Amino acid sequence: MPEPLKPELLTSGPLLSVRDLEIVFRIDGQDVPVVRDLSFDIEAGETLGIVGESGCGKSITALSLLGLVPNPPGRVSKGQILLNGEDLTRAGEARLNAVRGNDISMVFQEPMTSLNPVYTIGEQIAETVRVHFGLSRAAAWDRAVEMLSQVGIPSPKTRAHDYPHQLSGGMRQRVMIAIALVCEPKILIADEPTTALDVTVQAQIFDLFQDLQERFGAAIILITHDIGVVAQMTDRVMVMYAGRKIEEGSVASFIRDPRHPYTRGLISCIPHLSLPPSDVPAPLFEIPGVVPSARELGASGCAFAPRCSHASGRCAAETPTLFPVGDGRSAACWLEVEAAR
Amino acid sequence: MLKLTLRKAANAVALLLAVLVLNFTMIHLAPGDPVETLVGEMGGATPALIEDLRRSMGLDQPLYIQIGLYVGNVLRGDFGHSYYYDQPVLTLIGARIGPTLLLVTTALFAATMIGTVLGVFSAQRRSSWLSHLVTVLSLAGFSAPVFWVGIMLILVLSVAFPIFPISGMSDAVGTDGGLLYALDVAHHLALPALTLALIYLAFYSRLARASMLEVLGSDYVRTARAKGLPRRLVVYKHALRNAILPVVTFAGLQFGQVISGAVLVETVFAWPGLGTLAFDSILRRDTPTLLGILFFSALMVVVMNVLTDLLYRRIDPRIKIR
Ligand SMILES: Nc1ncnc2c1ncn2[C@@H]1O[C@H](COP(=O)(O)OP(=O)(O)OP(=O)(O)O)[C@@H](O)[C@H]1O
Ligand SMILES: [Mg+2]
C-alpha cells in the first residue's frame, strides 16, 4: 500500500460534474458540434461506463475533462466541467497542468504509440511525480519502480531501465496505467484501454483495473464498445449517440431492461454465448443504417430517428430530452414520454 | 556490437577502395592530357621530351597497370606528386583539408542548429511571422545559386558596408595559432560559412518544422500533456528529441553534398581549402592532386557517416537493438 501523498479534499456533492457541455470543431469556417447538451456526474470511487458507436464523441468528451481538446480546430463552446465545484473550462494552462495526471489522468487506446520511444519507462513514470510532488530524482525513481511492481511488471527494478520498444503491448499498457496512477488521481479515464491488445491480455488489464481501484480508490470512467466489459466492470452506464447522452442508468437495468431503441439494439447485438450451440448458427443482429456525421445532423429531431423502427413524426421534428424512467434512470426518447402519459 | 563495428569498418574500407579505382578510371577516361597541358604551360617541347615526361609519369603503361600501381602506392600512404606544384599530394592536401573541414562543419552546424530553432519555433505558431520567414527562406534557399548568394553577400557586407573581409582566410602574417589569429580566421570565415549555410538553412528549417509538427501531433506528446507536464518539458524534452532525428540523418547524408557546395563557395571567397585546390587541379589536369582530393572527400564523408550513426544511437535507443 503506497503511502498517501495528498490530503483528501472534503467537499460534498459529486466529485466531477459535467454540465451542458458542448464541444465544436471548426470545419470549413463553420463550428460543427460533436458533443451537445452533455451532463453527467461522477461520485468518488465509482465506475462509469461510456458506450456508443464509433464517432459519437466519447474520446473527445474524455479529452475535454483534461482540457486537451485539440485546439484548433476544436474547443469547448458551452457548459461547465466542475471538479469539486471548480470549473475547469475556465482554468488557465498552469491550473490545468496541476490537475492533469494528478487529479484526473487518462489511459489511451494505443499503448504502442503512447509512450515516448526515447526515454526509459522508469523516467516516464518518475517525471510525473517529480512535476506534481516535487520529489527528488532518486525518490521519484523509487516510486516509479514501486508503481511498476503495483501494475504487475516482473523484476521492476531492471525493467524500469527498459525503453518502450523492449516491452509488449500489454506491458506498455501496464506502464501507461502506472503513469496514470502514480499520483493517485481521483479520476482515472480509460479510453478503450484494451482495444489494441489480444483477448487474454485484455482480461488481465481489466483485473488490474479492478484490483487497483480497490487499492487506490479512484473513480474510473471506462470508455468501451464491449458490453461484456461494461457488465463486469462498471456501476453505471451512459449511452451516447451522435454527440448526445441518450440513456443513463445502473448496469443491471441497462442490461436487463434497456429503454432507448438504440440501447436495445446495442444489447441485442451481443451474440448469446449462453445458448446451447445449434447446427444453424444464429445470425448476428445489427442495427440497420449508420451513425449520421456531425455535419449531417439537423438542428432538431432525434439523431437516431432515421434508423429507428419506432420513429414517428415527432421524432424527426423535436429533439427528445432526457426523461426519467424510474430508479434514477433516464432515456432520451419520445416513446418513453408518451408511455408515461 | 564489436562484430557490428568490425563489419562497418570493413565496409568502409571496401567502399574507399572502390572509390579509388572508380575515380582513377573515370579521370583517365576523361578527355584532356596532363602532359599536353604541362607542355603548353612550358611553351612547347620536343616530341622526345614529351615521351620522356609520359614515361616518368607512368602514363605510357596500360590503364590496369596504372591503377594497380596507384592503389598500391596509396595503401603505402603515397598519393603521388602534384604535376603542377611539384610537391607530394599529401602535403598539399594536408595544408588545405583543415580550412575546408572548418568551413563545411561550421556551415553545416549553423544550418542545422539555426534551422532546427527556426523550424521548432515556427511549428508551434503556425501562422506567425516566423513561419512566413521560414517559407520565404526555403524558397530563396532552394532557388538562389550559391555563387550568386556569395557575391551578393560580398557586395553588401564587404563592399557597401565593409564589415567582413572580401576573401582569404586571414590577414595576420604569422599563423602562430594565438587568440588573435583565431578571431581573424573567424572574421574571414563568417561570409563563406554564411553563404554555404544559407543554402542548407532553408532545407533544415523546413525539415525541422515538418518533423516537429508531426511529433507535436503524436500520441506520446498527448500523453506528456495528459501527465500535466509544463509546456517547456513537453516541447523541449518530449518532442524535440524525437523531432531532431531526421535532422541528424540528413546532416550525415548531406555532408558530401556540402563538401561539393564548398568548392563553389571557396572559389568565390578565395578560401584556401580543398575546393579551390580541386578547381585549380581540374583546370591544370593535375590528376594526382585531383585524385587525392576526391579520395579525402570520400574519407570525410565516411567518417561523418560513422559519427552521425553514433550520434543517432545516442539519441534513439531503438537503434541499439538492431
Ligand atoms: N481533430 C479533429 N478534427 C475534426 N473532427 C474531429 C477531430 N477529432 C474528432 N473529431 C470528430 O469528433 C467526433 C467525435 O470523435 P471521438 O474521437 O470522440 O469519437 P469516439 O466516440 O471516441 O469514437 P471511437 O469509438 O471510434 O473512438 C467525430 O465525429 C470526429 O469526426
Ligand atoms: Mg475514441
Side-chain angles (χ1 to χ4, degrees), chain A residues 25 27 34 53-60 70 73 109 192 225:
Chain A
F25 275 96
I27 300 166
V34 295
E53 243 159 301
S54 198
C56 70
K58 305 180 297 290
S59 297
I60 211 71
Q109 184 176 346
E192 304 186 32
H225 288 283

Coordinates of all heavy atoms in Angstrom, one line a residue, chain A residues 25 27 34 53-60 70 73 109 192 225, ligand 1:
Chain A
F25 N -16.1 21.5 -33.4 CA -14.9 21.5 -34.3 C -15.1 22.5 -35.4 O -16.2 22.5 -36.0 CB -14.6 20.2 -34.9 CG -13.8 19.3 -33.9 CD1 -14.4 18.4 -33.1 CD2 -12.4 19.4 -33.9 CE1 -13.7 17.6 -32.2 CE2 -11.7 18.6 -33.0 CZ -12.3 17.7 -32.2
I27 N -14.8 23.4 -38.9 CA -14.6 22.7 -40.2 C -15.1 23.6 -41.3 O -16.3 24.0 -41.3 CB -15.3 21.4 -40.3 CG1 -14.8 20.5 -39.1 CG2 -15.1 20.7 -41.6 CD1 -15.6 19.3 -38.9
V34 N -19.8 18.4 -32.0 CA -19.7 17.0 -32.0 C -20.1 16.4 -30.6 O -20.4 15.2 -30.5 CB -18.2 16.5 -32.3 CG1 -17.8 16.9 -33.7 CG2 -17.3 17.1 -31.3
E53 N -21.5 4.2 -30.4 CA -20.9 3.8 -31.7 C -19.7 4.7 -31.9 O -19.5 5.8 -31.4 CB -21.9 4.0 -32.8 CG -22.2 2.7 -33.5 CD -23.5 2.7 -34.2 OE1 -24.6 2.9 -33.6 OE2 -23.5 2.5 -35.4
S54 N -18.8 4.2 -32.8 CA -17.6 4.9 -33.2 C -18.0 6.3 -33.7 O -18.9 6.5 -34.5 CB -16.9 4.2 -34.3 OG -15.6 4.6 -34.4
G55 N -17.3 7.3 -33.2 CA -17.5 8.7 -33.7 C -18.6 9.5 -32.9 O -18.9 10.6 -33.3
C56 N -19.2 8.9 -31.9 CA -20.3 9.5 -31.2 C -19.7 10.6 -30.2 O -20.5 11.3 -29.6 CB -21.2 8.5 -30.5 SG -20.4 7.7 -29.1
G57 N -18.4 10.7 -30.0 CA -17.9 11.7 -29.1 C -17.4 11.3 -27.8 O -17.1 12.1 -26.9
K58 N -17.1 10.0 -27.6 CA -16.6 9.5 -26.3 C -15.2 10.0 -26.0 O -15.0 10.6 -24.9 CB -16.6 8.0 -26.3 CG -18.0 7.3 -26.7 CD -17.9 5.8 -26.6 CE -17.0 5.2 -27.6 NZ -17.4 5.3 -29.0
S59 N -14.3 9.8 -27.0 CA -12.9 10.2 -26.7 C -12.8 11.7 -26.5 O -12.1 12.2 -25.7 CB -12.0 9.8 -27.9 OG -12.0 8.4 -28.0
I60 N -13.5 12.5 -27.3 CA -13.4 13.9 -27.3 C -14.0 14.5 -25.9 O -13.4 15.4 -25.4 CB -14.0 14.6 -28.5 CG1 -13.3 15.9 -28.9 CG2 -15.5 14.8 -28.4 CD1 -12.0 15.6 -29.4
P70 N -8.1 19.0 -29.0 CA -7.2 19.7 -29.9 C -7.7 21.0 -30.4 O -8.7 21.1 -31.1 CB -7.0 18.6 -31.1 CG -8.1 17.7 -30.9 CD -8.6 17.7 -29.5
P73 N -8.6 22.5 -34.3 CA -9.8 23.1 -34.7 C -10.9 23.0 -33.6 O -12.0 23.6 -33.8 CB -10.2 22.3 -35.9 CG -9.7 20.9 -35.7 CD -8.5 21.1 -34.8
Q109 N -6.0 4.6 -25.9 CA -6.3 3.3 -26.6 C -5.0 2.7 -27.2 O -5.0 1.5 -27.3 CB -7.3 3.7 -27.7 CG -7.8 2.5 -28.5 CD -8.8 3.0 -29.5 OE1 -9.3 4.1 -29.4 NE2 -9.1 2.1 -30.4
E192 N -11.0 3.0 -24.1 CA -10.8 1.7 -24.8 C -9.4 1.2 -24.5 O -8.7 1.0 -25.5 CB -11.1 1.9 -26.3 CG -12.4 2.5 -26.6 CD -12.7 2.5 -28.1 OE1 -12.3 1.6 -28.8 OE2 -13.5 3.4 -28.5
H225 N -16.5 -0.4 -26.2 CA -17.5 -0.8 -27.1 C -18.1 -2.1 -26.6 O -19.1 -2.7 -27.2 CB -16.9 -1.1 -28.5 CG -16.6 0.1 -29.3 ND1 -17.5 0.9 -29.9 CD2 -15.4 0.7 -29.5 CE1 -16.9 1.9 -30.5 NE2 -15.6 1.8 -30.3
Ligands
LIG1 N1 -9.2 16.7 -34.7 C1 -10.5 16.6 -35.2 N2 -10.9 17.4 -36.2 C2 -12.2 17.3 -36.6 N3 -13.1 16.5 -36.1 C3 -12.7 15.7 -35.1 C4 -11.4 15.7 -34.6 N4 -11.3 14.8 -33.6 C5 -12.5 14.2 -33.5 N5 -13.4 14.8 -34.4 C6 -14.8 14.4 -34.6 O1 -15.4 14.4 -33.3 C7 -16.4 13.3 -33.3 C8 -16.2 12.5 -32.1 O2 -14.9 11.9 -32.2 P1 -14.4 10.9 -31.0 O3 -13.0 10.6 -31.3 O4 -14.7 11.5 -29.7 O5 -15.3 9.6 -31.2 P2 -15.4 8.3 -30.3 O6 -16.7 8.1 -29.8 O7 -14.2 8.2 -29.4 O8 -15.2 7.2 -31.5 P3 -14.3 5.8 -31.4 O9 -15.2 4.8 -30.7 O10 -14.1 5.5 -32.8 O11 -13.1 6.1 -30.6 C9 -16.2 12.5 -34.6 O12 -17.3 12.8 -35.4 C10 -15.0 13.0 -35.2 O13 -15.1 13.1 -36.6

